[in-house]
Amino acid sequence: MSSSMESSYLPATTESIAMAQEAKDASKSISILYRVIQDPSSSADALRTKELAITNLTNYLTEESRAEELRNLLTQLRPFFSLIPKAKTAKIVRGIIDAVSKIPGTSDLQISLCKEMVEWTRAEKRTFLRQRVEARLAALLLENQEYTEALTLLTGLIKEVRRLDDKLLLVDIDLLESKLHFSLRNLPKAKASLTAARTAANAIYVPPAQQGTIDMQSGILHAEEKDYKTAYSYFFEAFEAFNALDDPRAIFSLKYMLLCKIMVNQADDVAGIISSKASLKYVGPDVDAMKAVADAYSKRSLKYFETALRDFKAQLEEDPIVHRHLSSLYDTLLEQNLCRLIEPYSRVEIGHVAQMIELAVDDVEKKLSQMILDKKFAGTLDQGAGCLIIFEDQKTEAIFPATLETISNVGKVVDSLYMRSAKIMA
């Protein structure tokens, strides 16, 4: 901020706020609001007006995508924070951090800003605010895939918050920990953290958005365990909560609902869900991607499946949850198709199989070798001739297992008789 701006402050009055709102452009409004904040007056009315000026200034800077100025604003406001109640300070700080998060490409700036605020709150002994900023920092580190640092931060924070019994914050932190363990592929710990979040949530009123987040995480964990029917019900609950709030996460809940339907072999239901009243407003690339996958699965066509993956790469491949389940679905579909195609043959060229299934020869050869090793069928690959040789299944005579069982039972009887005779002789 320039020295001229500092010296020519404007009085913190409603007239000054109105002047900023009536300014011709955002830059002029920002300049006026900066001058209002510089008013040295500390009367109750002036402080209230400055709070309004800070809120308006934050909005203008966000609209103009001036992330660095928002960061500097937090530093400049520190003397002002000593004049107002701690609860209002917390509201302003969290509001500015939220504003920075709305500006694209600022994740690194948000992390450094949160770290600065954690240091300041620790020095000022503002525990309530520090814990919330640390929780926000852990969420940002998780998004940036800095798992070790996020886990270290959360471990200490959970112990501290449990001691204070701040249930609402505890729900947030337990949920974060669940997401973190899920990202680290530690499913038992992810479930334990989610259970802790649910336990804390049952003791208090949880806002609908927070309840939706809990349901979403529950659905993700159940889907990971292949319990797609239960996962679908959780995703549906999350979708209803987010849809009522116009939360952008509603589209992801809907997407995962459709995924669950496909995974339980009910791909025909996808069109009905998409055409429902609640889902129609979310029609777009994400929904189209799941519809393309459902169509491919209904037709048992790997070609259509690969086309869907290629056309909707951002919606399918780049979403880790969808990608993980679709990889499993693709493998299952590929194995089913290959088994159906090679069934009539005792010897067949790999190139012919690849041509029938419309995939690259190398991919088909690799998959066939994997299926042989997994004992999905009996056979071998003759790579010199480029052929697959399928062996006939060796049918085991039913009498053999029965005979072995009989011999085993006779052995048990003999052992039992021996033990009894030994007791009599003794």
Side-chain angles (χ1 to χ4, degrees), residues 168-288:
L168 193 58
L169 182 56
L170 198 56
V171 172
D172 274 339
I173 296 167
D174 282 330
L175 258 178
L176 264 177
E177 192 182 34
S178 178
K179 290 176 184 177
L180 178 58
H181 285 306
F182 177 74
S183 300
L184 293 168
R185 315 298 305 129
N186 191 337
L187 207 57
K189 283 194 174 180
K191 287 170 70 180
S193 297
L194 182 64
T195 304
R198 281 190 172 283
T199 306
N202 287 338
I204 54 165
Y205 167 75
V206 177
Q210 187 73 305
Q211 187 59 52
T213 309
I214 293 171
D215 289 332
M216 180 86 114
Q217 184 66 7
S218 300
I220 289 168
L221 294 182
H222 276 91
E224 191 66 20
E225 293 183 314
K226 313 292 183 194
D227 183 3
Y228 294 110
K229 286 188 177 177
T230 309
Y232 177 85
S233 64
Y234 277 120
F235 287 136
F236 182 73
E237 292 289 334
F239 174 69
E240 286 201 318
F242 293 144
N243 182 44
L245 297 166
D246 287 327
D247 192 304
R249 287 176 291 177
I251 185 65
F252 293 104
S253 306
L254 177 60
K255 191 173 164 182
Y256 300 152
M257 280 165 60
L258 300 177
L259 174 67
C260 290
K261 282 292 181 186
I262 296 166
M263 296 304 290
V264 292
N265 203 18
Q266 293 176 358
D268 295 338
D269 294 353
V270 167
I273 295 169
I274 292 170
S275 58
S276 67
K277 186 181 176 183
S279 306
L280 279 172
K281 66 177 178 180
Y282 297 104
V283 170
D286 286 286
V287 172
D288 291 343

Side-chain angles (χ1 to χ4, degrees), residues 32-70:
I32 292 168
L33 290 169
Y34 266 129
R35 291 167 66 193
V36 171
I37 293 167
Q38 290 299 316
D39 183 358
S41 172
S42 57
S43 66
D45 288 340
L47 292 176
R48 268 197 301 274
T49 306
K50 284 184 194 177
E51 285 170 35
L52 181 59
I54 290 164
T55 304
N56 291 351
L57 179 57
T58 302
N59 293 337
Y60 281 122
L61 290 174
T62 307
E63 286 168 16
E64 294 289 300
S65 297
R66 298 190 192 177
E68 197 61 50
E69 281 195 41
L70 282 166

Side-chain angles (χ1 to χ4, degrees), residues 72-259:
N72 294 335
L73 179 63
L74 262 183
T75 309
Q76 291 162 11
L77 289 173
R78 285 178 188 179
F80 173 70
F81 291 150
S82 61
L83 303 173
I84 60 173
K86 288 184 176 181
K88 286 188 176 180
T89 299
K91 185 182 175 184
I92 292 169
V93 169
R94 291 164 71 188
I96 292 174
I97 292 171
D98 285 342
V100 176
S101 70
K102 291 175 187 172
I103 301 170
T106 57
S107 58
D108 290 338
L109 179 67
Q110 288 176 64
I111 289 171
S112 65
L113 175 59
C114 286
K115 284 179 178 176
E116 279 178 19
M117 290 313 296
V118 166
E119 287 175 17
W120 178 75
T121 49
R122 190 169 275 123
E124 294 284 316
K125 293 184 172 56
R126 294 175 184 252
T127 307
F128 176 86
L129 178 57
R130 175 179 57 76
Q131 289 169 346
R132 277 150 183 78
V133 176
E134 281 186 334
R136 182 59 175 269
L137 176 58
L140 289 167
L141 291 169
L142 176 60
E143 280 177 29
N144 261 26
Q145 299 182 356
E146 294 175 33
Y147 301 131
T148 310
E149 193 177 345
L151 189 58
T152 307
L153 182 62
L154 279 177
T155 305
L157 192 57
I158 284 173
K159 288 177 185 173
E160 191 179 339
V161 175
R162 282 217 175 103
R163 209 163 47 242
L164 294 171
D165 203 32
D166 186 342
K167 289 279 196 296
L168 193 58
L169 182 56
L170 198 56
V171 172
D172 274 339
I173 296 167
D174 282 330
L175 258 178
L176 264 177
E177 192 182 34
S178 178
K179 290 176 184 177
L180 178 58
H181 285 306
F182 177 74
S183 300
L184 293 168
R185 315 298 305 129
N186 191 337
L187 207 57
K189 283 194 174 180
K191 287 170 70 180
S193 297
L194 182 64
T195 304
R198 281 190 172 283
T199 306
N202 287 338
I204 54 165
Y205 167 75
V206 177
Q210 187 73 305
Q211 187 59 52
T213 309
I214 293 171
D215 289 332
M216 180 86 114
Q217 184 66 7
S218 300
I220 289 168
L221 294 182
H222 276 91
E224 191 66 20
E225 293 183 314
K226 313 292 183 194
D227 183 3
Y228 294 110
K229 286 188 177 177
T230 309
Y232 177 85
S233 64
Y234 277 120
F235 287 136
F236 182 73
E237 292 289 334
F239 174 69
E240 286 201 318
F242 293 144
N243 182 44
L245 297 166
D246 287 327
D247 192 304
R249 287 176 291 177
I251 185 65
F252 293 104
S253 306
L254 177 60
K255 191 173 164 182
Y256 300 152
M257 280 165 60
L258 300 177
L259 174 67

